[in-house]
Amino acid sequence: MDVSLLLRVAGVGMLVAVSCQVLSKTGKDEQALLLTLTGMVLVLIMLVGQIGELISAVRSVFGL
């Protein structure tokens, strides 16, 4: 696993957390929820390649 991927995920998480707090304090809870969901989807998209590599490694270990 690459360290830059970990830093990108952490950066997205921090940015989303701060933005959600600001939106919640201003009374825009719906936008905060949508921002949270968007952040989760963005992180999952970034991790798709790593998940594929994990599945192929498990397949090779078990000979599937």
Side-chain angles (χ1 to χ4, degrees):
M1 185 171 169
D2 194 16
V3 176
S4 65
L5 179 66
L6 184 65
L7 292 175
R8 283 189 286 167
V9 169
V12 169
M14 284 190 279
L15 184 64
V16 167
V18 169
S19 300
C20 284
Q21 289 294 322
V22 169
L23 286 172
S24 293
K25 296 293 181 184
T26 58
K28 298 180 180 180
D29 294 325
E30 293 85 13
Q31 285 87 359
L33 178 65
L34 288 175
L35 181 65
T36 302
L37 291 174
T38 305
M40 289 174 60
V41 168
L42 182 63
V43 167
L44 285 175
I45 288 172
M46 288 191 304
L47 293 177
V48 164
Q50 297 294 322
I51 292 170
E53 289 178 18
L54 174 66
I55 291 172
S56 64
V58 168
R59 283 184 178 175
S60 67
V61 166
F62 291 111
L64 299 175

